[in-house]
Amino acid sequence: QQGNTMTILQSIFLGLLQGLTEFLPVSSSGHLLLAQKLFGIEADLFFDVMLHLGTLFAVVVAMRKTLFQTIAHPVADKRFRYVAIACIPTFAIAAVVHFFVPEATLNLFLPLGFAATIVLIVLSAKLGKPTLRLQETGLLPIIVTGVVQGIAVCPGLSRSGSTVSTMKLFGVNSTDSAEFSFILSVPVILGAVAVEGYKALKTAAYAVNWLCVGVGVVTAFVSGLIAVYTVMRAVKRGNWIAFAVYLALPLVTSLIVMF
């Protein structure tokens, strides 16, 4: 637990894990669950909320120009309403899962989530013909992307990997797909911070180790920035499928530790 027993090294480790896996198409929830199973390291709710804030700051800084243009021109720039439309099925699915699916049951889908991410990445790399600009696409790809993002609450199914791959399969070019995925993460992370923050305020009954929290947040912020730029380079250079190759390792690991 974070309180007084979490060490600086554990804070750095969890910050790195959260920052890198939040935006790399490898599933942050899946990796955090594996870390818990393998090393017995589990952050408390408040620490988890603060790490999410660190990754939120990272995507805002990395995508500041695109975000400013989207917010400043909500009518002319379709991305604003595209994000709003995609968030409807995302939050609806997330709410259903949150209220009706026990966490223990959800965690059993970890290997399946990793496998699904691999399939989506490979299919988008092999079958996708990403030539359209985001502004040229219709509503169907946006709605389907929102649905996929909602399903990505399942551990192992990467939010960024599944959303970018879905957009690419619908023909949206790689750069626009990645940028839209990152912009779409802002309301999702804000929603998670709001829900988890409320729970943390209700349950917090200990002294916060602010040094560990600060180290974890800064680490999550820096590693999150690195992850955003890594994904942007990967989709531009056609190295997208390399993430599917890497995911074979956590997939096999999850099959061993979960069963």
Side-chain angles (χ1 to χ4, degrees):
Q1 299 296 317
Q2 185 250 327
N4 294 314
T5 61
M6 177 171 281
T7 66
I8 296 296
L9 283 178
Q10 288 174 332
S11 301
I12 293 172
F13 173 73
L14 289 174
L16 278 172
L17 197 61
Q18 175 64 36
L20 290 174
T21 59
E22 182 71 44
F23 301 116
L24 293 180
V26 295
S27 177
S28 60
S29 60
H31 278 73
L32 289 170
L33 183 56
L34 281 181
Q36 177 184 334
K37 294 288 185 181
L38 290 171
F39 308 114
I41 302 175
E42 183 179 3
D44 61 48
L45 201 51
F46 179 77
F47 188 79
D48 185 53
V49 170
M50 297 306 291
L51 290 187
H52 275 83
L53 281 177
T55 55
L56 177 63
F57 293 147
V59 75
V60 168
V61 169
M63 305 301 297
R64 59 191 181 278
K65 293 181 180 178
T66 304
L67 281 169
F68 177 77
Q69 183 180 351
T70 301
I71 295 171
H73 307 284
V75 177
D77 194 325
K78 289 184 179 180
R79 284 174 295 200
F80 187 87
R81 58 180 177 272
Y82 279 176
V83 168
I85 291 168
C87 280
I88 295 172
T90 293
F91 287 130
I93 294 170
V96 169
V97 172
H98 176 76
F99 288 111
F100 297 106
V101 182
E103 185 177 353
T105 301
L106 202 60
N107 290 344
L108 294 176
F109 288 93
L110 180 62
L112 183 61
F114 282 130
T117 303
I118 293 172
V119 170
L120 279 172
I121 289 175
V122 172
L123 285 178
S124 67
K126 297 298 183 182
L127 302 180
K129 297 178 180 179
T131 56
L132 294 174
R133 295 302 307 271
L134 179 66
Q135 308 276 12
E136 299 170 343
T137 193
L139 288 181
L140 181 60
I142 305 303
I143 294 170
V144 174
T145 300
V147 170
V148 169
Q149 181 174 241
I151 298 172
V153 297
C154 297
L157 181 58
S158 166
R159 190 208 64 82
S160 61
S162 58
T163 52
V164 172
S165 296
T166 300
M167 295 297 290
K168 288 176 66 178
L169 283 168
F170 274 106
V172 179
N173 75 66
S174 299
T175 300
D176 282 10
S177 295
E179 285 187 351
F180 183 66
S181 174
F182 292 137
I183 295 172
L184 202 52
S185 74
V186 173
V188 171
I189 297 175
L190 278 174
V193 167
V195 172
E196 292 176 0
Y198 175 72
K199 289 181 182 177
L201 288 173
K202 286 181 63 179
T203 59
Y206 52 83
V208 174
N209 186 334
W210 288 106
L211 178 59
C212 285
V213 169
V215 169
V217 170
V218 171
T219 306
F221 170 75
V222 174
S223 58
L225 277 177
I226 293 171
V228 171
Y229 292 126
T230 299
V231 171
M232 293 303 297
R233 284 198 301 269
V235 296
K236 287 178 180 177
R237 296 178 181 178
N239 297 330
W240 190 236
I241 204 166
F243 294 112
V245 175
Y246 162 77
L247 279 168
L249 176 61
L251 170 58
V252 172
T253 305
S254 67
L255 286 170
I256 295 171
V257 301
M258 298 300 291
F259 303 103

